[in-house]
Amino acid sequence: MFARLLLLCLLGISCVNCEYLFKKLCSDEDPHQCEVYNVILDPCEDGKNFCTINKLKHYTLSIDFLPKFSANKLNMSMLIDDKLTDTFDGEVKVPSDACEVLTCPVDAQTRRLFDVRFKLGKSIAVGKYPVKMKLFNSENEKQSCCFTFNVKIKK
């Protein structure tokens, strides 16, 4: 317990221009599969409702979550709804093996922290958009942790 508290404190100290994001669980996923406690975007100087981010600049998304399922291998996807059609068909980060940034296997009821680095491609238009982050069991995609947050994209 002390180690988790220390890790959260260090995470807060190392985030000079970061912000805890306002996040929502994905409406198309089972909300009982996972709890997402904190989502931090670094850098984020504007506030938790709409972090302003620039294209082609690197960002780190820190996620504190508790899966209610076990998995030998997790996959992750990070998508953007840049057409505002609720389809999330634009890729922010190519779907990949989450075990590259998170130690696997993942045990049920064990709280985890991990960071994902990303940058937006130049093809995404300037505007305000929701982003969807999903971690899921590669053997059963219904077992997932999924949430959305909003960003404001600048040039």
Side-chain angles (χ1 to χ4, degrees), residues 131-149:
V131 175
K132 180 180 188 177
M133 179 69 184
K134 182 177 177 180
L135 296 159
F136 56 95
N137 184 344
S138 63
E139 296 170 1
N140 180 359
E141 196 169 332
K142 291 182 180 191
Q143 294 178 323
S144 69
C145 292
C146 185
F147 61 91
T148 63
F149 61 95

Side-chain angles (χ1 to χ4, degrees), residues 37-118:
Y37 296 103
N38 295 304
V39 178
I40 301 170
L41 184 60
D42 185 23
C44 174
E45 301 171 6
D46 299 330
K48 59 185 169 184
N49 289 328
F50 279 102
C51 284
T52 300
I53 62 178
N54 297 308
K55 297 179 192 182
L56 302 177
K57 183 175 177 182
H58 287 277
Y59 292 88
T60 301
L61 191 66
S62 300
I63 303 160
D64 176 6
F65 74 105
L66 176 81
K68 302 210 176 154
F69 58 90
S70 294
N72 290 321
K73 183 178 175 189
L74 278 181
N75 288 337
M76 75 175 157
S77 63
M78 192 171 188
L79 305 169
I80 191 165
D81 185 13
D82 57 342
K83 295 176 184 67
L84 298 175
T85 57
D86 204 28
T87 57
F88 292 95
D89 54 4
E91 285 185 356
V92 173
K93 187 162 184 67
V94 176
S96 60
D97 181 358
C99 297
E100 292 176 6
V101 294
L102 180 67
T103 305
C104 290
V106 174
D107 296 321
Q109 304 297 331
T110 301
R111 195 164 173 175
R112 306 296 295 266
L113 296 165
F114 77 101
D115 295 336
V116 177
R117 287 187 43 90
F118 71 94

